[in-house]
Amino acid sequence: MTDLAHIRNFSIVAHIDHGKSTLADRLIQMTDTVAERDMKEQLLDAMDIERERGITIKANTVRIDYTADNGEQYVLNLIDTPGHVDFAYEVSRSMRAVEGSLLVVDSTQGVEAQTLANVYQAIDADHELIPVLNKIDLPASDLDRAAEQIEDVIGIDASGAIPVSAKTGEGIRETLEAIVHHLPPPAGDETAPLKAMLVDSKYDLYLGVVVLVRIIDGRMKKGDRIKMMQTGATYNVERIGVFRPAMTVVESLGPGEIGFITASIKQVRDTRVGDTITHEKKPCAEALPGFKPSVPVVFCGLFPVDSAQFEDLRDAIDKLALNDASFSFEMESSAALGFGFRCGFLGLLHLEVIRDRIEREYDIELITTAPSVIYHVYTKDGEMLELHNPADMPDMANVDHIEEPRIKATILVPDEFLGDVLKLCQDRRGIQEELTYAGSRAMVVYDLPLNEVVFDFYDRLKSVTKGYASFDYQMTGYREDNLVKMSILVNDEPVDALSTMVHRDRAEMRGRAMVEKLKDLIPRHMFKIPIQAAIGGKVIARETLSAMRKDVTAKCYGGDASRKRKLLDKQKAGKKKMRQFGKVDIPQEAFISALKMDG
Amino acid sequence: MRSDWQNGGFGIYVHWPFCEAKCPYCDFNSHVAREIDHPRWLRAYLKEIEAYGAALPGRVVSSVFFGGGTPSLMQPEVVAAVIEKIRETWPIANDLEVTLEANPGSVEAGRFRSYREGGVSRVSMGVQALNNADLRALGRLHSVEEARAAFETARHAFDRVSFDLIYARQRQTPESWRQELSEAVNMVVDHLSLYQLTIEQGTAFGDRYNAGRLKGIPEDDDAAQMYEITQEITQKAGYDAYEVSNHARPGSECRHNMVYWRYGDYVGIGPGAHGRISIDGSRFATEALKQPNAWLEATERSTGEKLREALTAEDQSTEMLLMGLRLSEGVSISRFEALAGSPLDQERITELDELGVLGVSGDKLMATQKGRFVLNSVLAKLLGG
């Protein structure tokens, strides 16, 4: 049991690759929280994908015991938050559970767009901030420049910034001292009725749903009958404990403490992040201000390459959904691709992570259709339809107007690449809102349609800036524009999985680019194949894939029969990776590649 | 009951694995050796023939084919002794065809008469090109003049003579091929094998091609045009395009190769040789060890065969179809169905018929001329998943 004055709760704000997880590892190691032999790189990133990509997807937490230079014992609770824009909501809810943040900036790189987005969330949550300048062991480290950027771009005092090398351990002690002395202890009243925040939850194969909680007032212990104030559901606390970072059972948790409970909760969906947990018998008077639920913004279809694996896919998606309430799905059937699921994600990274996990952990090869956003389609009779899939677009004759989601995009870029970035944003129908300089770096803010960004904007941005730009965005709302559904016809048959929503002014260009791409992606057949882009009944672009002229093997004698037969068998297996439209076989990669824009 | 192999007959293939030099385009099992113990090779061939004779007694042999490598480097006595052994081992068809692949060099031409006396009735000559620059580029050791002279010698020595040409060579145009082929058909030859140059992996051309150093290989459309020209010129000159790359005056088709295409039984003797043999209602694919010395030693110990595997009904029907549709005569639908144990997909046949690549006439299924150009696609569609 620790008194409030000796508890510090904090998170770490950093851009991807700026060393957040390594710093967390080092803090844990320097305090002997984990035995040396159990130490592995990026301790808190538990999933393979997290380790591999060097990103954090789920919020993780660890309790660190620290004896400060003043000889007193402190409990430090670190919540390691996701750094990526897709998981901005996870960041925001974790921030509410702690009182301060370490602001980690790579001293060789300076402030990046993601640092900005996350630091503003920390400021919104009234955090005390401790600037940490990381990677001072590298020759390119420039402390003055990094500190200046923190002051210029973020607008906070960087005079007390701590130089750190998470790699060598230099500055870690100073960081721990700063946490103790500069961050405020939590407030709370142990005698008041129980009030706890549901910070996050995850599914554990053995324990069921594990709920991450922050106690505000009162005390929670094993056996307590608790109530979720928003859902009204009641449970018995079966286990209560803290993360060190392994789960360690404790007697109880009091004000200011962060830990976990299990209570026979079946799936993550039954818990509402941001909900207030209290005692059923003696509830607190007022719930914590509720958090908004996370809403998927990017949609795509996931189909098994081998249609016989549909049930396996359903199973995989059900299991993943147990642990990820932000991911939505419903069954979808496509004339082209058979049965699959239309899935909603928080963003593109979220999409890729889920897709990778299905392919890797469940061994199901997937066809992913083009990502799309939700359009608001207003019909002539005044109804508003949420369009998740361009294939479901109603007849234009019944449509009054269409609105699309917009974002505010912040891009930080060295000024030598600024021209290319402006051109890219302009090409994607962006409206410039802000352009400022900090030293030799420019910060541009654009109002952009989300649908121009979901697909390959980030890839393009990386490529035109040789990887030097950083990018972040937030949704701003819906706006009407001149949008149309563009269909693709292959051999005169519409291919539903290739239809997209486009801006009318850009339709010809997109249509031309798509039919040209498809001409390269579809193999030659025994007949010529027209490939067309059309809006309604009007063809706006057309290419013809000429017929295969000759493919016969020149020599085939007694010694070739086995080889030729095996080749045919291989061709048969390869055909499984194609989808048949009428008489035309379209390779699965075409469904994504056709939509990539080169410019 | 009649066995399926009887639709194609029975032939013996003998592989001689040695060459004077390895041609840069060739992916056949050929080797350059400094010393060859001819009597030892003969003993091994005879031993294998005996073994197959015991396994397949009473078969009537309709053809023997000496392939390689360069069989015209074989000593005529060895060739004669092999033929003699085959005659002792099996009953022989009245019109037995014995073909030997020959290099059209002057040295080989000097041996033609001896081969003839040993029982060879037909030669197939690797002329490959009718201009010297291209012959050098193909790594051939002979000249056009030598080839023409060897051809004249062969015409007098043997009943039948065929030669090979390769087209779609480096820097070859459709027009130059037209001229070259016109010259060839004027040479009073009864059979022509005309092959599009194929760049095979694992050959010198393959390596050069992968490294981007094999320049001037005609584009697909040009190569297709050369194939069209091939059909046009040979047809006008009175040759039947009886197979994808083979053209013959009526009656001069290569009987041995017909055994393959009609999916008969054939025994493969020598390094790397393949066979198809039917025993007790099963059809086996056989394959011999590839390395000449390994084959020789294994044969002396027991057998050079490294693999004998029973083919499934599906394997057999697939092979029958993929070989048979190369022939202008096509395949028997009922034969396919008897082999496969299930009917051909009628819908696919109709679709391919509508595309003009496949035709049905009674029990016969055949690729049209248009279909023969794209036979791989036709087969994939017909059998495909």
Side-chain angles (χ1 to χ4, degrees), chain B residues 15-22 26 28-34 36 41 68-70 73 271-272 289-293:
Chain B
H15 191 81
W16 176 260
F18 302 109
C19 285
E20 277 181 290
K22 181 97 190 161
C26 173
F28 286 0
N29 187 24
S30 56
H31 304 262
V32 179
R34 249 178 307 149
I36 300 162
W41 276 87
T70 309
L73 295 176
L289 288 162
K290 253 185 127 164
Q291 280 304 315
N293 276 324

Side-chain angles (χ1 to χ4, degrees), chain A residues 386-397:
Chain A
E386 283 197 355
L387 183 73
H388 293 202
N389 184 349
D392 300 333
M393 178 76 188
D395 191 336
M396 278 311 274

Side-chain angles (χ1 to χ4, degrees), chain A residues 439-455:
Chain A
S440 63
R441 280 170 19 126
M443 182 176 91
V444 281
V445 178
Y446 262 86
D447 169 35
L448 277 159
L450 179 62
N451 89 329
E452 298 284 347
V453 172
V454 287
F455 195 60

Side-chain angles (χ1 to χ4, degrees), chain B residues 194-230:
Chain B
L194 305 168
Y195 301 115
Q196 179 179 336
L197 176 64
T198 311
I199 310 298
E200 303 285 359
Q201 293 304 312
T203 63
F205 268 14
D207 295 346
R208 264 189 257 166
Y209 186 82
N210 293 343
R213 289 189 293 108
L214 194 67
K215 300 272 187 330
I217 297 292
E219 298 287 324
D220 289 354
D221 280 351
D222 277 348
Q225 201 189 330
M226 289 185 214
Y227 188 59
E228 279 164 13
I229 289 169
T230 306

Side-chain angles (χ1 to χ4, degrees), chain B residues 10 46-59 85 88-90 267 277-280 308:
Chain B
F10 180 63
L46 299 185
K47 189 169 178 211
E48 286 286 82
I49 292 168
E50 232 163 70
Y52 281 112
L56 302 160
R59 291 288 184 93
K85 182 76 180 177
E88 282 170 14
T89 307
W90 288 289
V267 165
I277 51 177
S278 304
I279 300 171
D280 296 339
R308 180 179 291 205

Side-chain angles (χ1 to χ4, degrees), chain B residues 26 35 47 50 60 68 83 94 110 129 199 271 278 306 323 339 356-357 367:
Chain B
C26 173
E35 260 176 69
K47 189 169 178 211
E50 232 163 70
V60 178
I83 295 170
N94 292 334
I199 310 298
S278 304
K306 73 158 188 197
M323 298 306 266
L339 263 182
V357 293

